[in-house]
Amino acid sequence: MKHKENPERSHPNEVRIGLVSISDRASAGTYQDEGIPALKNWLGLAITSPLSTHERLIPDDAETITETLIELVDELGCDLVLTTGGTGPGRRDVTPEATLEAGTREMPGFGEQMRQISLRFVPTAILSRQVAVLREIEGHAALIINLPGQPKSIREILEGLKDADGKILAAGIFASVPYCIDLIGGPYIEANPDIISVFRPKSAIKPRP
């Protein structure tokens, strides 16, 4: 499937990120969504490249989730899509299944590392079912990652854990996101090293202009 034409990027390295909060209550207006504001705040601090976001607040409905992820990638040209919510064992927690439906290939390392980080805080982290996938269409590809719903957990998983001296105890998953985007043909994402230390092989690091 070829994606629809979308507006030109404001800069060659502009990264387009879709932010999807999945919650029956928040989408119905009975609960204040905290996922998207937490994501926007962290991304604004962490990413130093030009950045644009597309936000969606939707219910825990598998078909709606899949359609939303496809829209963000195929029609709006997002390079990265981050979802929050709906990854537990409850009957209405269908985000992982809907994400797999939208993906063309799974990226299991992200889910493995997310659970390793969360297990440092609560044993119930093993109940989390977050997944990550690539969605690949003609001329474009994107990385889609499920995140938890709590702002504190979102930051910990993206940023990782450090001790009092700043030594990394567990690498945050975002450390690997820019290089993944490189490998699938997306823009070159740079980050604030005070927030997250992005890893790339030396051969993949571009000199600053």
Side-chain angles (χ1 to χ4, degrees):
M1 177 180 177
K2 186 174 182 178
H3 69 89
K4 296 181 181 179
E5 293 298 320
N6 47 65
E8 291 293 323
R9 298 176 191 263
S10 63
H11 185 279
N13 282 332
E14 178 193 60
V15 56
R16 292 177 175 169
I17 303 181
L19 305 177
V20 184
S21 187
I22 299 159
S23 167
D24 286 334
R25 290 190 300 157
S27 63
T30 59
Y31 174 81
Q32 184 68 38
D33 173 58
E34 297 180 339
I36 289 176
L39 284 169
K40 286 188 70 174
N41 179 66
W42 191 87
L43 291 168
L45 294 172
I47 295 179
T48 58
S49 303
L51 168 68
S52 63
T53 60
H54 298 276
E55 303 166 24
R56 299 289 186 272
L57 178 57
I58 58 176
D60 292 282
D61 174 74
E63 185 175 351
T64 300
I65 297 167
T66 300
E67 289 175 352
T68 299
L69 298 178
I70 292 173
E71 175 215 2
L72 288 167
V73 176
D74 296 19
E75 299 183 20
L76 297 178
C78 288
D79 309 292
L80 173 67
V81 179
L82 301 174
T83 76
T84 172
T87 60
R91 291 287 183 94
R92 293 289 292 171
D93 292 331
V94 294
T95 300
E97 287 76 19
T99 300
L100 291 169
E101 186 68 23
T104 51
R105 285 190 289 169
E106 191 172 356
M107 299 291 288
F110 285 100
E112 292 164 5
Q113 182 64 5
M114 283 189 271
R115 282 179 281 278
Q116 285 299 313
I117 292 170
S118 296
L119 278 167
R120 289 175 174 265
F121 297 97
V122 290
T124 50
I126 60 173
L127 303 179
S128 174
R129 303 187 304 113
Q130 290 111 314
V131 301
V133 300
L134 299 178
R135 177 166 175 81
E136 301 150 303
I137 59 174
E138 183 182 342
H140 183 60
L143 174 63
I144 304 172
I145 305 174
N146 299 156
L147 296 171
Q150 295 300 317
K152 181 174 181 291
S153 298
I154 290 172
R155 181 184 61 78
E156 289 165 350
I157 280 175
L158 290 171
E159 192 171 319
L161 306 177
K162 299 176 183 178
D163 64 17
D165 298 322
K167 180 181 178 182
I168 295 175
L169 300 175
I173 64 163
F174 200 84
S176 299
V177 167
Y179 186 50
C180 181
I181 301 297
D182 292 349
L183 293 173
I184 62 175
Y188 189 84
I189 302 171
E190 296 188 275
N192 179 352
D194 292 333
I195 303 296
I196 183 74
S197 181
V198 167
F199 179 81
R200 284 181 171 97
K202 288 183 180 180
S203 61
I205 297 174
K206 293 183 179 180
R208 291 182 177 275

